[in-house]
Amino acid sequence: MVARIWTVGLQGIEGYRMSVECDLSGGLPAFDIVGLPDASVREARERVRSALKNKGLEFPLRRITVNLAPADTKKAGALYDLPILLSLLVASGQVEGDFSKVAFIGEVSLDGNLRPVRGALPAALAARAEGFQAIFVPADNAGEAALAGEGIRVYGVSSVDELADIFRGKRKPARAVPAEITAPDYTGMDFSEVKGQQNAKRACEIAAAGGHNLLFSGPPGAGKSMLAKRIASILPEMTPEEALETTKIYSVAGLTGREQPLICKRPFRAPHHTLSPVSLAGGGSDLRPGEISLAHNGVLFLDEFPEFSRTALEVLRQPLEDGVVTISRASGTVQYPCRFMLVGAMNPCRCGWFGHPSGRCTCSRAAVESYRRHVSGPMLDRIDIFVDVPEVSFTEITSKSGGQTSAEIRARVDKARKIQAERLKGTGVHCNAYLPQAMIERYCALGEGEKALLRLAFEKLNLSARSYTRILKVARTIADLDGSERILSVHISEALQYRPPQF
Ligand SMILES: Nc1ncnc2c1ncn2[C@@H]1O[C@H](COP(=O)(O)OP(=O)(O)OP(=O)(O)O)[C@@H](O)[C@H]1O
Ligand SMILES: [Mg+2]
């Protein structure tokens, strides 16, 4: 008899319907898995054999053929253990039932318990979209899979005998409850802990309000990394849709679990500058998401910006523009979303003290130039706000309070974001940083006085056409923070402060 059990295959954060067929026939005992399984899927044979034995179920001593269909896509991962095991139980008559509207995923351990798998949420969402009424997942994945919503019943099981008992009618399955969105906790990561640096804090507020990319430059120990780490705390709280989308990526990367089934806190990723382009963009044999996708809906912080390899920075360019990254390898092609705020930090030169009043910089002019040239022009073009972070004075560092808290700043950011959302409704753009050229003309129109001011700045400061749109977008955000419908001269003057240093 041929048994058929349904499961879900994953491609990136999307899933598709897959079936596991099991046939038992006479002949010498054997166990074959066909349908382009990779080594991890083939090893299911050993896990399934031991799990059955150790839970007092029977491993049929027949010729077993398991087929994973569709047969022309490559299968990887341990999530098919459970459907393979169940198909064996059904084919050998140990359990029976109607399995036509139910999907199963789960990794089986040798002792017959279920281990969590990567991608439980995307799998549950795919099962729902494919019209399944229920999905069985390992208990540790249940809270996460239940986030798929009302359209599908999610059951968590902890062992293979529990599953067998459910389909033998001896036990009722427990329906999983979805993990709840909780307000993110930023204790120990608050802006009020950063003393002084009013100018840099203001730049952070503007960047957060308009979704602008930001680059800090300053001497060692001025607080650049400190500021960057706190930017996520002033971004608006994630909407349920954003939380779900980010969770899907973390789920596929294997970073969710029983303790953290739902990502409610905006991600802050700070990869080291020695990381490879693959870990930055994603890839590898199993096509995992990279740092840029793990930063989706949050902040990607590149500390020591010029130390990142040119190839790594070049890899960032396209995703920064599109908000999605496409990864192609021999094992397939996947797309991951990656809309993040880029925050960079750098010293003005290799020793870090160029331009410091003490004159302690030891770099030659040529060395300073060469250090700065490491950051490619096209990368700089994608940064809207450049901010100098000078050393903090003794008075500032010893002062009791560092000023406003993240919550206070976030309230203003929220307000400015709402104004943008209202203005950009139906355009597909959600904040000023992403305004395309045509919309800049429409939404950043200037009066005569403001135009004159900008013209003067252009002539005096030798600005390029690129800086022109950048200044307009930043000025738009400053006006929004100010609650002003029109961009005024004060907004433009402030935006002019955040120009790139003359490299
Ligand atoms: N403005 C500040 N307020 C309070 N503490 C500060 C401030 N600036 C620096 N510090 C202290 O100095 C430490 C180093 O700061 P941080 O790592 O942010 O410097 P940095 O500018 O990133 O330096 P580098 O260029 O070496 O990376 C912080 O952990 C903090 O203890
Ligand atoms: Mg630092």
Side-chain angles (χ1 to χ4, degrees):
M1 149 185 184
V2 175
R4 175 182 285 140
I5 298 297
W6 293 103
T7 181
V8 178
L10 287 177
Q11 190 155 35
I13 53 169
E14 307 301 329
Y16 56 93
R17 168 192 287 260
M18 241 183 74
S19 72
V20 175
E21 297 158 355
C22 175
D23 180 48
L24 300 184
S25 56
L28 282 178
F31 191 172
D32 289 316
I33 298 181
V34 297
L36 293 188
D38 78 347
S40 60
V41 180
R42 240 176 282 127
E43 285 172 354
R45 291 178 301 184
E46 308 311 322
R47 292 190 290 270
V48 165
R49 196 194 310 264
S50 298
L52 286 175
K53 192 185 79 197
N54 287 326
K55 286 294 183 194
L57 294 155
E58 182 205 332
F59 180 79
L61 285 174
R62 314 268 300 274
R63 187 178 172 78
I64 306 166
T65 310
V66 166
N67 178 36
L68 307 176
D72 58 351
T73 54
K74 291 187 178 157
K75 325 289 186 311
L79 76 166
Y80 308 121
D81 288 5
L82 188 66
I84 291 174
L85 181 141
L86 184 62
S87 73
L88 261 180
L89 289 178
V90 176
S92 59
Q94 297 180 69
V95 299
E96 42 189 68
D98 178 7
F99 298 99
S100 60
K101 291 262 186 278
V102 194
F104 297 84
I105 54 166
E107 178 180 337
V108 171
S109 68
L110 296 186
D111 59 8
N113 292 325
L114 292 190
R115 291 165 42 80
V117 293
R118 291 195 280 136
L121 174 60
L125 284 166
R128 192 183 87 170
E130 291 280 358
F132 288 106
Q133 291 169 351
I135 183 167
F136 283 76
V137 302
D140 281 348
N141 289 131
E144 176 192 322
L147 293 167
E150 282 301 307
I152 187 163
R153 296 192 302 275
V154 174
Y155 299 110
V157 273
S158 42
S159 64
V160 299
D161 52 334
E162 183 187 334
L163 186 78
D165 283 350
I166 289 169
F167 288 101
R168 285 166 171 167
K170 291 189 190 162
R171 199 192 260 251
K172 270 205 151 332
R175 189 162 174 185
V177 283
E180 278 184 19
I181 290 203
T182 46
D185 176 19
Y186 290 108
T187 26
M189 272 295 161
D190 201 279
F191 258 82
S192 59
E193 290 152 20
V194 184
K195 310 275 174 66
Q197 304 299 14
Q198 292 312 326
N199 192 30
K201 285 185 187 172
R202 168 75 180 162
C204 293
E205 178 175 337
I206 297 169
H212 301 286
N213 298 328
L214 173 84
L215 180 62
F216 295 116
S217 167
K224 300 182 295 296
S225 307
M226 235 184 139
L227 284 161
K229 282 181 191 146
R230 285 161 177 77
I231 289 182
S233 73
I234 58 168
L235 286 168
E237 277 180 20
M238 287 213 272
T239 62
E241 293 76 37
E242 284 178 326
L244 212 58
E245 206 172 35
T246 303
T247 304
K248 272 165 49 173
I249 299 171
Y250 275 66
S251 170
V252 171
L255 298 175
T256 49
R258 200 184 256 278
E259 291 77 37
Q260 185 178 239
L262 175 63
I263 311 290
C264 322
K265 199 169 169 175
R266 287 199 183 266
F268 173 81
R269 304 292 299 184
H272 192 252
H273 57 77
T274 52
L275 98 167
S276 65
V278 165
S279 4
L280 188 61
S285 59
D286 52 358
L287 298 171
R288 284 204 196 196
E291 289 292 335
I292 56 172
S293 298
L294 295 175
H296 182 56
N297 288 322
V299 174
L300 180 71
F301 177 44
L302 304 184
D303 208 353
E304 320 297 345
F305 203 49
E307 302 289 345
F308 280 80
S309 72
R310 213 160 250 270
T311 30
L313 292 181
E314 297 300 308
V315 157
L316 274 179
R317 285 171 50 186
Q318 204 55 45
L320 262 176
E321 214 118 287
D322 300 344
V324 292
V325 58
T326 307
I327 307 163
S328 298
R329 294 285 181 284
S331 45
T333 297
V334 295
Q335 280 200 330
Y336 290 115
C338 57
R339 202 166 275 298
F340 55 84
M341 211 175 122
L342 178 69
V343 177
M346 62 185 284
N347 296 131
C349 65
R350 194 165 290 283
C351 80
W353 299 101
F354 180 77
H356 193 262
S358 65
R360 59 199 273 201
C361 175
T362 54
C363 303
S364 68
R365 186 77 218 184
V368 174
E369 302 264 310
S370 120
Y371 178 73
R372 291 177 175 186
R373 259 201 308 275
H374 271 107
V375 188
S376 71
M379 264 321 284
L380 291 178
D381 274 344
R382 281 157 182 83
I383 289 175
D384 286 342
I385 296 181
F386 294 80
V387 56
D388 263 326
V389 187
E391 240 184 340
V392 267
S393 68
F394 184 76
T395 334
E396 279 171 334
I397 201 84
T398 48
S399 69
K400 280 230 160 48
S401 157
Q404 294 186 319
T405 62
S406 291
E408 286 170 298
I409 304 174
R410 188 169 59 233
R412 294 195 294 266
V413 169
D414 270 335
K415 228 160 106 192
R417 287 269 182 145
K418 284 208 181 82
I419 295 174
Q420 294 167 60
E422 188 61 33
R423 180 189 308 128
L424 300 169
K425 203 156 50 182
T427 60
V429 180
H430 63 288
C431 57
N432 293 337
Y434 293 101
L435 284 176
Q437 194 60 40
M439 287 199 215
I440 291 181
E441 275 162 33
R442 181 157 165 219
Y443 296 118
C444 307
L446 299 181
E448 281 311 315
E450 290 76 29
K451 256 193 205 142
L453 170 69
L454 208 49
R455 185 174 306 121
L456 191 69
F458 249 73
E459 285 159 7
K460 286 260 182 292
L461 302 168
N462 250 338
L463 300 180
S464 67
R466 278 228 173 76
S467 1
Y468 175 72
T469 47
R470 191 184 288 144
I471 289 166
L472 277 183
K473 284 196 279 188
V474 175
R476 179 68 267 169
T477 303
I478 298 172
D480 288 339
L481 274 170
D482 204 11
S484 165
E485 179 64 41
R486 283 188 47 220
I487 300 178
L488 306 176
S489 295
V490 276
H491 307 138
I492 294 180
S493 325
E494 187 176 358
L496 280 166
Q497 287 178 33
Y498 306 117
R499 285 175 308 109
Q502 298 305 318
F503 276 12

